[in-house]
Amino acid sequence: GLLQDRFTTAALERGAPDNACNADLAAAFDVPDDAHRLAGEIDALEQGSGKSDAAVTAASTASDGAPILDIRHTSKFFPIGGGFLRGPARLVKAVNNVSLQIMPGETLGLVGESGCGKSTLGRLVLRLDDPTGGEIIFEGKSIGMRGDPRYLRQEGLAHVPEDRQHRGLIAAFDASESAILGWHFEESLGKGFRLDRKAVVNRCREEMKEFDVRPADPFLRSAKFSGGNQQKIILAREIT
């Protein structure tokens, strides 16, 4: 397809797109009053007729302060083949010299064809794989200096696997058990090798309520939930 139009979110809220299809789309939006107010404040800034703290914050979040995540010239090469009689291994460059930053308040989407390295880059950030080269900085500190995945998870780096049924959950586990994968060592859930079953179930109930998991049954096997509700269980576990 061809790019028909390009416009900002604020422009969409004002119904500004010139392209007829996008104008119809904009007209179909039921924009909340707060969004209209913010769009007006941004208009005022653009026209130089006044200043608004809210508009300044919304318009400049991506350019102010230090990045939360700073990926610098990061690569990951995987050796394929090779051996004593077959010569040196061939290198597959899954990620090759990638640099990007994520600022406070930003959401970044990586788009590309299957096999282009999106998942590998995510695994490098989480230190589930070690990079071949480059540097990854999280909240001002190099991940290379504190690369334990468990520690990074506690610091706020969460991973939502693409394959929820095989990597995100254990199908034979109750929902309450899948809901604490990777967090089972917390003192609030038990001591040593013994889990506090009541605490585990109560935590799962709270997360199910917050994320509207249906049915809200901590004892139901993970495999019995629909795909969307399995994803909710994972999201609740990773970002709560």
Side-chain angles (χ1 to χ4, degrees):
L2 300 175
L3 176 65
Q4 296 294 323
D5 200 358
R6 175 175 287 161
F7 48 87
T8 65
T9 303
L12 177 61
E13 291 164 350
R14 295 192 298 267
D18 295 327
N19 178 270
C21 293
N22 286 336
D24 290 341
L25 178 63
F29 273 84
D30 182 15
V31 182
D33 291 340
D34 285 346
H36 282 302
R37 176 183 54 77
L38 184 57
E41 290 174 334
I42 294 175
D43 272 338
L45 267 182
E46 291 172 347
Q47 296 168 9
S49 59
K51 292 186 178 181
S52 162
D53 291 340
V56 169
T57 300
S60 64
T61 296
S63 60
D64 290 345
I68 292 176
L69 183 66
D70 189 359
I71 300 175
R72 301 179 179 178
H73 306 289
T74 297
S75 301
K76 178 62 179 180
F77 302 163
F78 292 98
I80 301 295
F84 180 68
L85 298 176
R86 290 180 292 177
R90 181 171 59 91
L91 292 178
V92 174
K93 299 180 179 180
V95 174
N96 190 14
N97 196 30
V98 171
S99 296
L100 60 86
Q101 293 182 336
I102 300 179
M103 304 299 292
E106 280 190 332
T107 299
L108 174 70
L110 282 177
V111 181
E113 63 186 14
S114 179
C116 71
K118 304 184 299 296
S119 297
T120 301
L121 182 60
R123 291 179 62 85
L124 294 177
V125 171
L126 295 160
R127 291 313 295 260
L128 298 175
D129 284 328
D130 292 326
T132 303
E135 186 177 19
I136 300 173
I137 298 171
F138 178 60
E139 294 186 337
K141 297 180 181 179
S142 175
I143 286 178
M145 300 299 292
R146 49 172 190 162
D148 178 14
R150 177 187 288 188
Y151 179 81
L152 293 174
R153 196 181 190 199
Q154 291 175 299
E155 289 294 291
L157 276 173
H159 178 222
V160 179
E162 298 171 73
D163 187 346
R164 57 178 174 265
Q165 294 186 349
H166 296 95
R167 293 185 178 273
L169 304 167
I170 296 180
F173 276 14
D174 291 350
S176 63
E177 295 169 325
S178 283
I180 62 166
L181 291 174
W183 297 106
H184 53 277
F185 56 86
E186 287 191 348
E187 290 185 4
S188 62
L189 298 176
K191 293 183 179 180
F193 294 102
R194 296 181 63 86
L195 288 173
D196 182 339
R197 183 65 172 162
K198 183 178 180 180
V200 170
V201 170
N202 287 340
R203 175 166 169 167
C204 184
R205 287 191 195 278
E206 291 173 3
E207 292 179 352
M208 284 181 156
K209 182 178 180 180
E210 182 178 356
F211 284 79
D212 192 26
V213 178
R214 303 182 186 183
D217 182 359
F219 301 103
L220 186 64
R221 279 199 335 165
S222 301
K224 296 295 185 180
F225 288 88
S226 68
N229 283 291
Q230 288 176 343
Q231 196 76 335
K232 288 180 183 179
I233 292 171
I234 297 170
L235 285 168
R237 181 185 71 213
E238 297 301 328
I239 68 177
T240 298

